[in-house]
Amino acid sequence: MDRKRLPAATLPYLIVLTAVTAALLILVSCFNILVDPFAMYRAMEIPGFNISKPSIYRRMRLYKAFEIKRVQPQTVIVGSSRTHVGLRCSHQALSRLAGPCYNLAFDGATTKEIYFYLRHAHAIRPLQHVILGLDRYHATSAPAFTRSDYDPLLLYSPEMPRWLNVMTADVRLLTHFDTLRASIHTLRSQDDPAPHWFASDGQRLGDIFFRQVEPTFIQDGPRAYFDAIDRQEVQDQFGPIPTKQQPKSPVDLEESALAYIRRIVEFCRSQQIDLRIFITPTHVHQSEISVALWGEPSLESGKRALVQLLTEDAARFPDRPLISLMDFNGYSPITTEPLPPIGSRKEMRFYWDSSHFKEIVGDYILDRLFAVRTAGRPVPPDFGILLNAKTLDTALAREREARMEYLRKFPKDVAALQALIPGLPILVYHQILRPNTPEPIDDSTAISLEQFESQMRYLHEQGYRTLNMDEVVDYLKHATYPQKVVAIHFDDGWKSGQNALPILKDYGFKATFWIIAGAGHDIGSPHMGWDEILTLAQNTHIDIHSHTMTHPWKKGETLIDWVEGPVPGKGIKHATWELTESRKRLEEKLGRPVRYLAWPSGLYNDVLIHLAEQAGYQALLTIDEGINRPGNDLMRIHRTMINGTCDIEAFKQSLVDGSYNCSP
Amino acid sequence: MLFNSYTFIFAFLPLTLLVYYSLRGAGFERSAILALTLLSLGFYGWWNPIDLLLLISLTFANYLFAKCIWAYRQAHPSVAKTFLIGGLIGNLAVLGYFKYANFLIDNTNALLGLNLFLAQIVLPLGISFFTFQKIAFLVDVYRGKVDFLNGLDFSLFVSFFPQLIAGPIVHHSEVLPQFRQTGVISGQIPMGVTIFIIGLAKKIWLADTAALYATPPFAAAASGETLSLLAAWSGALAYAMQLYFDFSGYSDMAIGAALLVGIRLPVNFNSPYKATGVIDFWRRWHITLSRFLREYLYIPLGGNRHGPVRRYINLLLTMLLGGLWHGANWTFVVWGMLHGVYLVVNHAWHFVRPRILKMSTPVRPIEVWIGRVVTLMAITFAWVFFRAADVATAFSMLGSMVGLHEFGTATFGSETFLLIALLLGAFFAPNTQELTGYVGPSGIYGEGVAPAQPVQLRWQPTLRWAAMMGCLFAFAVASLSRLSEFIYFQF
């Protein structure tokens, strides 16, 4: 600027303003450097003044970004909290390596974060060895993301000049109000220092963290803590219920979580860094929760993707040593360690909880990754399987077998885990009655329109998604619905069932009608005529399936009696006719496939199931009360009869456990 | 980049000033204007470079339309009118497509039970603001209210970075002449810096703090919780404060940033919560929007020239469209509608008060204060629609506010104290232009008027003020971003 052209007051005003601002910020910075609440420099540590640094525990990513600058490691361990807790640099295999080692894993680490932290570390001092621990959520094609406290401005990258990094990292932090607050907090908390659970090599010390810091672990004991983490895992995986439709955008394959693993591999190749990848050994409970929720045993597809990625890498670099991938996640004596009994305060040998393994397991992992043997610490057999294109299929097959064995040996654990999953209730209605209806009323099945409406409103308010029969079958075969689900059924084809339609339409609910295809039966009367059924069939939210030809139900004359007992003139042949003819008749009338059957009065036995399968039904529905869960038997789907005798509380309960009871 | 970002304050602004004043200092005044235009485009492209295509092509197209209208205006008024209508339709169509197409499709689907699909359209930044500016410009070229037409000036008028994203909605008559000013303009810098810092502090310290207390109640209501009366009111009032300090802070920053390059932008806020009625409120809140709506919507609709009934209908219609301008959502429609009703009531009161109630003409102080409190409550009530995610949430919140649910227990924590402090500030404290004596530009809306001499603490470019502003700036800079924590030990 041309000084002469500025009026007299302008320049002094700006100079003073800038000087005051600068002076204040410098003052704050000096104070922050002195106290150093995030351990950025560790230039001066005085007991009773700033030696205890409580603020670093909540800013792990920030803390480790600066630790790397100080330690300048040539070996780093990266991964999520499991790796953070479980692996130590003092292991003999690592201490033998040249240069310092640092555990750069942090809680909730994503592949994108790991990639940029690796580049950061490498830009500070070239790395020689990287040990990468991967979890279930790493090896997926889901979009890559970073956590809220990930701050790219803290990290070095080759493209960024150093001075700019000093501005965006050091200067920005030192002049920051939050840092000032952390400094004051640091000064105040010296008298009562919290237990230090950070080791100098970056490890989170489980011995201190769980036994002295984690309140649930300390108060309720290891077993209760283990159960609490199981429950939390279910909630986290099941996720929040989306309130509004998210705009669908295709996942950019170059921006998936897996793509960043590929970048890590390529980066290590191009920089000639020795990379060893392992899959973290979570307790089997974690895998079983995944199976129960997503239907995938362990991380099969993730392991396949990783092997494929490494096979491609090996093809590109045939002269160089392979990058090894070792799987510790399978069923081994370690991952299937039995839980201490409920109420016991005994610690487990290998685990803090189903997610975090103890240091001894970390030592086994390092023993295997670096092929060292330690006297007095033999690695259990089956722990750590080398995965590559050749071994993959065998390994996965063996894992499935091992899982079956686990299910046999620990039925209680499996049942307890299953019970944590919300499940699919199916509600069965019959008559939906308007006030003063002339229809004859059967109290055991009828419900008033008003009550029905309030039940539907409740489902809507609770965010339930309704499933049609195809979706019910998908669900049982492990399709995933990231929402609470329910199915609404109407049996017998009562005329008054149609009263439900406007309400279903209002809430956008789907429903399934079970129609008795033959004439002359005495159930569901007055019942819908074919013209009404055909109108119903045009509604895209309604699907229609079979409820046999004549709905035999009277005592001594049921389908079971037909196939088992001597009912005059009725036998297997007639039962088969009920099943096949109803299917044929409905398909003719409706012009679309009929794949499912609901048993009249819910009565069935093994012979009938066999006959129904032969008749081409793909799923069979009972009125055995209960909640359906993925993996349940398609030939014995639970349903709950709803009528008008109980209040809304009983209805709510039916959604939880499939029971519908009340004292009148 | 936002005004309250490191990049803007420490990189973009210094660079812009350096380039601009170097060129001006060397006597290249037109080149300085060109540089300013290019830098403004860079500022806009920082968010989403693709949007630049839209901004540039719209600017170019509008300039062509303006040229045509200009050329035919006198010889062939009908041809000029055709171009005007074409231009208006074009601008509104672009705005409609980007802002309202998804809304329209969703509602058509809901209404007719259809299942039309349209990919989610991303709204280009600031399109609502610059569309209005261009419409006003075309209309005024047609009306013969534009003195000269120049491509470079027009481009800068549209893209000038301080007002591009969030207003004020600048009228061409206010800035185009300023682009041609010569001589020393750097004398405005101290006031510009001061106003910018005041705005920054408002945004960071007041608005973002109020947000801490406004966000949770609205989130709770959206998730289906019913709030108590006290919780709902404190949430709504906190939001009223958040919105005011946020928006007016941003307007201050815009005015300050423009002053740094010697351009005066119109004042956008004049202590709106001091308003004694809703009519008064709209003369104080987002002033540049009110005057646009009056000039280019209300008056063309007929204004008050066709009797009281038509006048009220025009008012309602203007406010409804004004509401929709804020966003494609029913909540904004309801909000605009509500303000339309308020205005009608307010006008009716002005009619009834002297004639029927026979109340004395000098309004007594007690009446003024009742007016203020009632106005603030009515406006806070309407803000609920403005803020809520959907109409159902707004109704749940309003139900709580009128006492349909429990009363709640009063707690006097830091939250209450802060809310009261902000309210008192909005009621009594001098606003930025009263504090600094800032005068808006002169233009079609008249001469810029210096605020009434209010305060002994009026700003002067003295060293003492420089020191105080330095402190304020340091505080603001230290809080520009949040260092977020992450507590997630389980993974």
Side-chain angles (χ1 to χ4, degrees), chain A residues 565-602:
Chain A
V567 180
K570 299 285 184 191
I572 287 191
K573 207 172 69 186
H574 301 93
T576 306
W577 178 82
E578 286 281 344
L579 305 177
T580 49
E581 189 64 19
S582 61
R583 181 159 173 246
K584 206 176 114 206
R585 175 83 62 93
L586 281 170
E587 285 185 342
E588 278 167 16
K589 290 275 188 192
L590 303 174
R592 63 184 191 203
V594 170
R595 287 189 283 265
Y596 314 114
L597 172 89
W599 295 112
S601 306

Coordinates of all heavy atoms in Angstrom, one line a residue, chain A residues 565-602:
Chain A
G565 N -54.8 -89.6 11.7 CA -55.8 -90.5 12.3 C -56.9 -90.9 11.3 O -56.8 -90.5 10.1
P566 N -57.7 -91.8 11.7 CA -58.7 -92.4 10.8 C -59.9 -91.5 10.7 O -60.9 -91.8 11.5 CB -59.0 -93.7 11.5 CG -58.7 -93.6 12.9 CD -57.8 -92.4 13.1
V567 N -59.9 -90.4 9.9 CA -61.1 -89.7 9.7 C -61.7 -90.3 8.4 O -61.1 -90.4 7.4 CB -60.8 -88.2 9.4 CG1 -62.1 -87.4 9.2 CG2 -60.0 -87.6 10.6
P568 N -63.0 -90.7 8.6 CA -63.6 -91.3 7.4 C -63.5 -90.5 6.2 O -63.9 -89.3 6.2 CB -65.1 -91.5 7.9 CG -65.1 -91.3 9.3 CD -63.9 -90.5 9.7
G569 N -63.0 -91.1 5.1 CA -63.0 -90.4 3.8 C -62.0 -89.3 3.7 O -61.9 -88.7 2.6
K570 N -61.1 -89.1 4.7 CA -60.0 -88.1 4.5 C -58.7 -88.7 4.8 O -58.5 -89.5 5.7 CB -60.2 -87.0 5.5 CG -61.6 -86.2 5.4 CD -61.6 -85.3 4.2 CE -62.9 -84.5 4.1 NZ -63.0 -83.8 2.8
G571 N -57.7 -88.3 4.0 CA -56.4 -88.9 4.2 C -55.3 -87.9 3.6 O -55.6 -86.8 3.3
I572 N -54.1 -88.4 3.4 CA -53.0 -87.6 2.9 C -53.4 -87.0 1.6 O -53.1 -85.9 1.3 CB -51.7 -88.5 2.8 CG1 -51.2 -88.7 4.2 CG2 -50.7 -87.9 1.9 CD1 -49.9 -89.3 4.4
K573 N -54.0 -87.8 0.7 CA -54.4 -87.4 -0.6 C -55.2 -86.1 -0.5 O -55.0 -85.1 -1.2 CB -55.2 -88.5 -1.3 CG -55.2 -88.5 -2.8 CD -55.9 -89.7 -3.4 CE -57.4 -89.6 -3.1 NZ -58.1 -90.9 -3.6
H574 N -56.2 -86.1 0.4 CA -57.1 -84.9 0.6 C -56.3 -83.7 1.1 O -56.6 -82.6 0.7 CB -58.3 -85.3 1.5 CG -59.1 -86.4 0.9 ND1 -58.8 -87.7 1.3 CD2 -60.0 -86.4 0.0 CE1 -59.6 -88.5 0.6 NE2 -60.4 -87.8 -0.2
A575 N -55.4 -84.0 2.0 CA -54.6 -82.9 2.6 C -53.8 -82.3 1.5 O -53.7 -81.0 1.3 CB -53.7 -83.4 3.7
T576 N -53.2 -83.1 0.6 CA -52.4 -82.6 -0.5 C -53.2 -81.8 -1.4 O -52.8 -80.7 -1.9 CB -51.8 -83.8 -1.3 OG1 -51.1 -84.6 -0.4 CG2 -50.9 -83.3 -2.4
W577 N -54.5 -82.2 -1.6 CA -55.4 -81.5 -2.5 C -55.6 -80.1 -1.9 O -55.6 -79.1 -2.6 CB -56.7 -82.2 -2.6 CG -57.7 -81.5 -3.5 CD1 -57.8 -81.5 -4.8 CD2 -58.8 -80.7 -3.0 NE1 -58.8 -80.7 -5.3 CE2 -59.5 -80.2 -4.1 CE3 -59.2 -80.3 -1.7 CZ2 -60.6 -79.4 -4.0 CZ3 -60.3 -79.5 -1.6 CH2 -61.0 -79.0 -2.8
E578 N -55.8 -80.0 -0.6 CA -56.0 -78.7 0.0 C -54.9 -77.7 -0.3 O -55.1 -76.6 -0.5 CB -56.1 -78.9 1.6 CG -57.4 -79.5 2.1 CD -58.5 -78.5 2.2 OE1 -58.2 -77.2 2.1 OE2 -59.7 -78.9 2.3
L579 N -53.7 -78.3 -0.3 CA -52.5 -77.5 -0.4 C -52.3 -77.1 -1.9 O -52.0 -75.9 -2.2 CB -51.2 -78.2 0.1 CG -51.4 -78.7 1.6 CD1 -50.1 -79.4 2.0 CD2 -51.6 -77.5 2.5
T580 N -52.3 -78.1 -2.8 CA -52.0 -77.8 -4.2 C -53.1 -77.1 -4.9 O -52.9 -76.1 -5.6 CB -51.7 -79.1 -4.9 OG1 -52.7 -80.0 -4.7 CG2 -50.4 -79.7 -4.5
E581 N -54.3 -77.5 -4.6 CA -55.4 -76.9 -5.3 C -55.6 -75.5 -5.0 O -55.9 -74.6 -5.8 CB -56.7 -77.7 -5.0 CG -57.9 -77.4 -5.9 CD -57.7 -77.7 -7.4 OE1 -56.8 -78.5 -7.7 OE2 -58.4 -77.1 -8.2
S582 N -55.5 -75.1 -3.6 CA -55.6 -73.7 -3.2 C -54.6 -72.9 -3.9 O -54.9 -71.8 -4.4 CB -55.5 -73.6 -1.7 OG -54.2 -74.0 -1.3
R583 N -53.4 -73.4 -4.0 CA -52.3 -72.6 -4.7 C -52.7 -72.4 -6.1 O -52.6 -71.2 -6.6 CB -51.0 -73.4 -4.5 CG -49.9 -72.7 -5.1 CD -48.5 -73.2 -4.5 NE -47.5 -72.6 -5.3 CZ -46.7 -73.2 -6.1 NH1 -46.7 -74.5 -6.2 NH2 -45.8 -72.6 -6.8
K584 N -53.1 -73.5 -6.8 CA -53.4 -73.4 -8.2 C -54.6 -72.4 -8.4 O -54.5 -71.5 -9.3 CB -53.8 -74.8 -8.7 CG -53.6 -75.0 -10.2 CD -53.9 -76.5 -10.6 CE -55.1 -76.5 -11.5 NZ -55.8 -77.7 -11.5
R585 N -55.6 -72.6 -7.6 CA -56.8 -71.8 -7.8 C -56.5 -70.3 -7.6 O -56.9 -69.4 -8.4 CB -57.9 -72.2 -6.8 CG -59.1 -71.3 -6.7 CD -60.2 -71.7 -7.8 NE -60.6 -73.1 -7.6 CZ -61.7 -73.5 -6.9 NH1 -62.5 -72.5 -6.3 NH2 -62.1 -74.7 -6.9
L586 N -55.7 -70.0 -6.6 CA -55.4 -68.6 -6.3 C -54.5 -68.0 -7.4 O -54.7 -66.9 -7.9 CB -54.6 -68.4 -5.0 CG -55.5 -68.4 -3.7 CD1 -54.7 -68.6 -2.5 CD2 -56.4 -67.2 -3.7
E587 N -53.6 -68.8 -7.9 CA -52.7 -68.3 -9.0 C -53.5 -68.0 -10.2 O -53.2 -67.1 -10.9 CB -51.6 -69.3 -9.2 CG -50.5 -69.3 -8.1 CD -49.3 -70.2 -8.4 OE1 -49.4 -71.1 -9.3 OE2 -48.3 -70.0 -7.8
E588 N -54.5 -68.9 -10.5 CA -55.3 -68.7 -11.7 C -56.1 -67.4 -11.6 O -56.1 -66.6 -12.5 CB -56.3 -69.9 -11.9 CG -55.7 -71.1 -12.6 CD -56.6 -72.3 -12.4 OE1 -57.8 -72.1 -12.1 OE2 -56.1 -73.4 -12.7
K589 N -56.7 -67.2 -10.4 CA -57.6 -66.1 -10.2 C -56.8 -64.8 -10.2 O -57.2 -63.8 -10.8 CB -58.3 -66.2 -8.9 CG -59.4 -67.3 -8.9 CD -60.7 -66.8 -9.4 CE -61.8 -67.8 -9.2 NZ -63.0 -67.5 -10.0
L590 N -55.6 -64.8 -9.5 CA -54.9 -63.6 -9.3 C -53.9 -63.3 -10.4 O -53.4 -62.2 -10.6 CB -54.1 -63.6 -8.0 CG -54.9 -63.9 -6.7 CD1 -54.0 -64.0 -5.5 CD2 -55.9 -62.7 -6.5
G591 N -53.5 -64.4 -11.1 CA -52.5 -64.2 -12.1 C -51.1 -63.8 -11.6 O -50.4 -63.2 -12.3
R592 N -50.8 -64.3 -10.4 CA -49.5 -64.1 -9.9 C -49.1 -65.2 -9.0 O -50.0 -65.9 -8.5 CB -49.3 -62.7 -9.3 CG -50.2 -62.5 -8.1 CD -50.0 -61.0 -7.6 NE -50.6 -60.9 -6.3 CZ -50.9 -59.7 -5.8 NH1 -50.8 -58.6 -6.6 NH2 -51.5 -59.6 -4.6
P593 N -47.8 -65.4 -8.8 CA -47.4 -66.6 -8.0 C -47.9 -66.5 -6.5 O -47.9 -65.5 -5.9 CB -45.9 -66.6 -8.1 CG -45.5 -65.2 -8.6 CD -46.6 -64.7 -9.3
V594 N -48.2 -67.7 -6.0 CA -48.6 -67.9 -4.6 C -47.6 -68.8 -4.0 O -47.5 -70.0 -4.4 CB -50.0 -68.4 -4.5 CG1 -50.3 -68.9 -3.1 CG2 -51.0 -67.4 -5.0
R595 N -46.7 -68.3 -3.1 CA -45.6 -69.1 -2.7 C -45.7 -69.5 -1.2 O -44.9 -70.2 -0.7 CB -44.3 -68.2 -2.9 CG -43.9 -68.1 -4.3 CD -42.5 -67.4 -4.4 NE -42.6 -66.0 -4.2 CZ -42.7 -65.1 -5.2 NH1 -42.7 -65.5 -6.4 NH2 -42.8 -63.9 -4.9
Y596 N -46.7 -68.9 -0.5 CA -46.7 -69.1 1.0 C -48.0 -69.6 1.4 O -49.0 -69.4 0.8 CB -46.3 -67.8 1.7 CG -45.1 -67.2 1.0 CD1 -45.2 -65.9 0.4 CD2 -43.8 -67.8 1.0 CE1 -44.2 -65.3 -0.3 CE2 -42.8 -67.2 0.4 CZ -42.9 -65.9 -0.2 OH -41.9 -65.4 -0.9
L597 N -48.0 -70.3 2.6 CA -49.2 -70.9 3.1 C -49.2 -70.7 4.6 O -48.2 -70.8 5.3 CB -49.2 -72.5 2.9 CG -50.3 -73.2 3.5 CD1 -51.5 -73.3 2.6 CD2 -49.8 -74.6 3.9
A598 N -50.4 -70.3 5.1 CA -50.7 -70.2 6.5 C -51.6 -71.4 6.9 O -52.6 -71.6 6.2 CB -51.3 -68.9 6.9
W599 N -51.2 -72.1 8.0 CA -51.9 -73.3 8.4 C -53.3 -72.8 9.0 O -53.4 -71.9 9.8 CB -51.2 -74.1 9.4 CG -49.9 -74.7 8.9 CD1 -48.6 -74.4 9.2 CD2 -49.8 -75.7 7.9 NE1 -47.7 -75.1 8.5 CE2 -48.4 -76.0 7.7 CE3 -50.7 -76.5 7.1 CZ2 -47.9 -76.9 6.8 CZ3 -50.3 -77.4 6.3 CH2 -48.9 -77.6 6.1
P600 N -54.4 -73.5 8.6 CA -55.7 -73.3 9.2 C -55.6 -73.5 10.7 O -55.0 -74.5 11.1 CB -56.6 -74.3 8.5 CG -55.9 -74.7 7.3 CD -54.4 -74.6 7.6
S601 N -56.0 -72.6 11.5 CA -56.0 -72.6 12.9 C -54.5 -72.9 13.4 O -54.4 -73.3 14.6 CB -56.9 -73.7 13.5 OG -58.2 -73.5 13.0
G602 N -53.6 -72.6 12.5 CA -52.2 -72.8 13.0 C -51.8 -74.2 13.2 O -50.8 -74.5 13.9

